[in-house]
Amino acid sequence: MNARRAVFTLILVAAAASAAYMWMSARPRSSRSDMNALSERYVRLVLALGQHDPDYVDAYYGPAEWRTEAQHAKVPLAEIEAAATDLAGDLNAITPVPSEVGLPRLRHSFVARQLESLRARVSMLQGRKLRFDEESQALYDAVAPAHPEEEFLGTLALLGQQLPGAGPLAERYETFRTRFVIPPARLDAAFRAAIDGCRARTLKHVRLPQGETFSVEYVTGKSWAAYNWYKGDYRSVIQVNTDLPIHADTVITLACHEGYPGHHVNNVLLEKNFVRDRGWHELSVYPLFSPQSLIAEGTADFGVRVAFPGPERLAFARSVIFPAAGLDPATAPVYYNVAELIRKLGYASAEAARRYLDGQMDAAMTASWLEAHALQSPKRAAQQISFFDQYRSYVINYTAGEDLVEQWVEARGGAVSSPDRRWELFENLIASPTLPSSLLTPNSQLPTPK
Ligand SMILES: [Zn+2]
């Protein structure tokens, strides 16, 4: 993914030649206690690690020469590890006292925890094997709660009553939802209508900087359904994977997740509030395998239920998406009855990943398990397993992330019945560098950047 990014062809050869030197060079004492200088070292480490792991740097829009230097220095993993240990020590030496609250403390905790995650990723690339839960704790600052098999069986029994026919449930589900596939010729119109709806609802509650924009591309041959590539300057490229059929509700979830109020808005607000307004370099880079991803995916998934709370999603689908997709709006309610139950099977993905990556099930068993417990078609299960191979425990960021975000928002008065408060808390999460573990603290409030 990183390889497909535009590569700067202008290379500062002299700077690159001396780049390796800077890793281990002695730094003046003042730079060891200056948070901006420590933050720059963190960004350079993320860029250096990106040279060993093509998925690691999901976005970067800081100084172009830092990336160019990382590309040409190609610092070995052992040196990255040593420099990261050194940086962790310097960060630790300026840990704010517990009585200090607000953004400086949030900033310090964020960089320190992101760096801890980077060190875990370095050790994995050096061959360290972690169990699924250990890995997700180390990389994402969270462990996904276990969901027992009986939970899925209960939902499957309810689906059995809803889905006509007598064959295996997965086949009945596929047959049922074939009626709701968006014809390829209508996909772009339906997706753009979904984005317009998500964006309009977001703009009623969240102030976005002028000039924020995105483009949409349709791609194939990916392990994901869609992707937001944030380019900086308030711009995103949203890619939608058309390998598998795309159903009516999917365009709403993808538009909210990748665009508004999901990844695009999250990145725009972090750039505005921190990189531009405060010069915090650390937010100009987004390491994919880091705690930042749990908040990003959790809020992106929850975002659809903020933009379209309760019955509004069905109403929007029936009045806008079904007509745009050329589907019969009268069939929308029955589709959503089933979709709501299917959503509960989402936890099956993390359960399958845990068993697969811990070696309890091989690929064939995992595919069967996903077909039986998540009602995935064989093709979708194969796509999911290739996602597990590529991104491993990243999968917890969706379901566990969404639950963590939902619980945090709803425990602070952001229920569906209080839409303004729901948006306010949601914006609080997407507009701050929040750590997953901090959401578990009872009554925790986040410092707001306004
Ligand atoms: Zn996402």
Side-chain angles (χ1 to χ4, degrees):
M1 289 183 236
N2 212 20
R4 285 187 288 104
R5 288 162 187 281
V7 173
F8 284 83
T9 49
L10 275 176
I11 293 159
L12 302 172
V13 177
S18 64
Y21 152 81
M22 80 176 55
W23 294 98
M24 303 308 290
S25 65
R27 282 169 296 276
R29 182 155 295 280
S30 62
S31 75
R32 290 175 174 253
S33 59
D34 170 18
M35 197 59 208
N36 285 333
L38 300 184
S39 149
E40 178 180 332
R41 285 163 62 192
Y42 160 75
V43 176
R44 287 178 179 276
L45 282 168
V46 172
L47 296 173
L49 187 50
Q51 297 305 307
H52 299 270
D53 179 350
D55 289 333
Y56 191 64
V57 181
D58 190 76
Y60 175 65
Y61 52 89
E65 63 270 22
W66 295 5
R67 174 166 46 196
T68 311
E69 285 166 15
Q71 283 165 347
H72 289 273
K74 204 163 191 328
V75 178
L77 286 171
E79 282 182 43
I80 296 174
E81 183 190 15
T85 305
D86 188 28
L87 176 56
D90 288 349
L91 274 167
N92 192 41
I94 60 160
T95 302
V97 293
S99 59
E100 190 177 335
V101 291
L103 288 178
R105 185 176 180 81
L106 181 72
R107 183 182 194 190
H108 183 277
S109 322
F110 177 76
V111 176
R113 185 62 186 86
Q114 289 280 116
L115 179 67
E116 195 182 321
S117 165
L118 176 144
R119 295 169 75 190
R121 186 70 186 167
V122 171
S123 73
M124 286 170 66
L125 293 173
Q126 287 173 318
R128 184 174 166 215
K129 298 266 182 277
L130 294 170
R131 290 186 64 78
F132 185 84
D133 289 344
E134 290 170 335
E135 179 186 306
S136 76
Q137 178 60 44
L139 295 181
Y140 308 114
D141 195 32
V143 171
H147 288 268
E149 197 131 349
E150 302 77 66
E151 191 181 304
F152 303 122
L153 298 180
T155 305
L156 291 167
L158 291 173
L159 277 162
Q161 295 163 15
Q162 297 261 350
L163 295 168
L169 206 48
E171 283 174 22
R172 284 155 59 190
Y173 174 53
E174 268 316 296
T175 306
F176 166 81
R177 68 179 193 152
T178 300
R179 290 156 55 199
F180 304 99
V181 170
I182 299 176
R186 298 266 198 160
L187 177 60
D188 188 54
F191 188 61
R192 286 181 192 277
I195 290 205
D196 287 349
C198 297
R199 187 167 184 275
R201 281 162 176 76
T202 302
L203 290 178
K204 276 188 196 161
H205 298 272
V206 180
R207 196 159 154 222
L208 294 180
Q210 272 215 318
E212 60 78 21
T213 187
F214 64 92
S215 58
V216 178
E217 296 173 359
Y218 297 92
V219 299
T220 53
K222 306 295 174 193
S223 66
W224 35 259
Y227 214 111
N228 177 294
W229 301 101
Y230 192 66
K231 302 293 184 184
D233 289 329
Y234 308 143
R235 289 177 302 116
S236 288
V237 174
I238 296 174
Q239 291 186 326
V240 177
N241 181 3
T242 57
D243 284 339
L244 298 177
I246 296 178
H247 300 82
D249 184 62
T250 309
V251 290
I252 304 178
T253 56
L254 294 184
C256 285
H257 184 107
E258 308 298 343
Y260 304 83
H263 293 321
H264 173 67
V265 172
N266 178 209
N267 283 296
V268 163
L269 292 178
L270 292 178
E271 178 175 0
K272 164 77 176 67
N273 294 336
F274 296 100
V275 180
R276 295 206 186 191
D277 290 357
R278 291 177 172 78
W280 291 16
H281 295 304
E282 62 272 29
L283 289 161
S284 67
V285 73
Y286 172 15
L288 190 68
F289 305 112
S290 76
Q292 199 173 346
S293 280
L294 187 128
I295 300 296
E297 300 300 358
T299 51
D301 268 359
F302 184 59
V304 68
R305 292 191 288 129
V306 177
F308 297 98
E312 285 188 35
R313 186 154 153 190
L314 166 61
F316 176 70
R318 184 157 46 184
S319 62
V320 177
I321 299 302
F322 274 61
L327 303 173
D328 178 4
T331 60
V334 65
Y335 170 68
Y336 272 88
N337 283 344
V338 171
E340 196 47 43
L341 288 170
I342 291 288
R343 197 171 76 79
K344 296 183 180 170
L345 299 180
Y347 298 106
S349 289
E351 292 301 327
R354 186 187 273 125
R355 293 164 198 220
Y356 174 62
L357 294 169
D358 280 345
Q360 292 164 18
M361 300 197 300
D362 64 15
M365 289 164 72
T366 307
S368 304
W369 201 90
L370 283 167
E371 287 163 36
H373 293 83
L375 300 190
Q376 293 185 1
S377 67
K379 281 185 183 168
R380 199 166 293 272
Q383 187 188 64
Q384 180 96 84
I385 291 166
S386 75
F387 186 94
F388 298 162
D389 288 331
Q390 186 172 1
Y391 299 108
R392 300 183 53 83
S393 64
Y394 192 91
V395 68
I396 75 146
N397 293 330
Y398 301 99
T399 44
E402 182 178 357
D403 285 351
L404 197 58
V405 166
E406 178 175 23
Q407 285 153 17
W408 188 87
V409 167
E410 297 204 342
R412 282 156 188 77
V416 170
S417 53
S418 308
D420 289 344
R421 178 72 177 148
R422 190 170 173 90
W423 272 105
E424 181 190 354
L425 288 159
F426 182 80
E427 184 182 356
N428 206 195
L429 280 180
I430 58 172
S432 287
T434 310
L435 287 175
S437 55
S438 71
L439 300 190
L440 294 170
T441 311
N443 305 318
S444 66
Q445 299 294 335
L446 303 174
T448 53
K450 288 169 192 164

